[in-house]
Amino acid sequence: MKKINIGKKILSENEKCAIENKSLLTKQKKLCLNMISSPGSGKTTILVRTITELNNKIKIGVIEGDIQTDIDAQRIRATKAPAFQINTEGACHLSAAQISRGLKNLPVNDLDLIIIENVGNLVCPSAFELGETGKVVVLSVAEGDDKPAKYPGIFAKSKTLLINKIDMLASDGQVDFDIERVKSDASRLNKAIEIFPISAKTGQGMADWYDWLIRNVKQSRMQT
């Protein structure tokens, strides 16, 4: 009896589309970051400040993912940066096909960086590749310092961790958050992850995040 191996992996439609997105971005030498967090971590505030303060250095466009409304996209557009809104109508993550549509509706040729602001969720978005260059996970101090331990998947896959709202740590101990625990747990999951404690409200620590972005934009431009 002849044994036939039928175990060859067949790419799902999402994986196929993610590969196409990645190929397009690589060909055009564009940096694309998939920003993931729980709701209320401050992703949009981070983006608004980043776009405003880096306006003369790099051009940023945003693909904005939300279940409903375009509230966050309006905030991005107020900075004069291009933003494409995707409403998932209940889905807890963005798909590669939606990102493909977003890329077609942004002036990609004129941009240095595309940031995908994913739907607020630490679980589902981490499981779906979109063709991005890398993932950025945002954790606010108000959420607690146990999140890398409880949601290891996204921390293990991300290039960067932004610990946001660190200005709240100075509020007379009202926020119980062990920043060293977060750094240790995240680094244990991902030795290569770069961690930046920041406050998008006050600007504290944002310069390190900007330096990281500029460095990675330059690396994308040099890729062959």
Side-chain angles (χ1 to χ4, degrees), residues 27-41:
K27 183 177 180 180
Q28 297 196 23
K29 300 184 178 183
K30 305 296 181 180
L31 178 67
C32 179
L33 299 173
N34 182 5
M35 186 173 278
I36 297 171
S37 78
S38 298
S41 68

Side-chain angles (χ1 to χ4, degrees), residues 64-186:
E64 191 65 56
D66 282 298
I67 291 175
Q68 296 283 349
T69 81
D70 66 343
I71 293 171
D72 291 341
Q74 290 180 41
R75 291 180 62 191
I76 299 297
R77 292 177 188 133
T79 70
K80 306 302 181 183
F84 181 75
Q85 179 67 53
I86 297 171
N87 289 128
T88 65
E89 306 296 337
C92 60
H93 63 87
L94 294 174
S95 70
Q98 289 170 324
I99 298 308
S100 176
R101 184 158 53 92
L103 292 172
K104 291 173 183 175
N105 282 275
L106 286 178
V108 173
N109 289 337
D110 300 328
L111 300 174
D112 302 301
L113 168 63
I114 299 99
I115 297 182
I116 302 162
E117 185 176 355
N118 218 311
V119 179
N121 191 318
L122 281 175
V123 182
C124 299
S126 69
F128 286 80
E129 293 298 323
L130 305 178
E132 70 269 39
T133 311
K135 294 177 175 62
V136 175
V137 60
V138 180
L139 172 65
S140 73
V141 302
E143 297 170 67
D145 53 26
D146 58 356
K147 293 303 177 286
K150 293 176 72 174
Y151 302 96
I154 183 56
F155 293 89
K157 293 179 178 180
S158 293
K159 285 181 173 288
T160 304
L161 164 59
L162 300 180
I163 304 176
N164 193 27
K165 304 186 183 181
I166 58 171
D167 54 288
M168 297 177 67
L169 296 178
S171 58
D172 300 323
Q174 293 180 26
V175 176
D176 185 13
F177 185 90
D178 186 343
I179 198 167
E180 294 306 320
R181 176 190 178 185
V182 171
K183 290 179 179 180
S184 177
D185 286 350

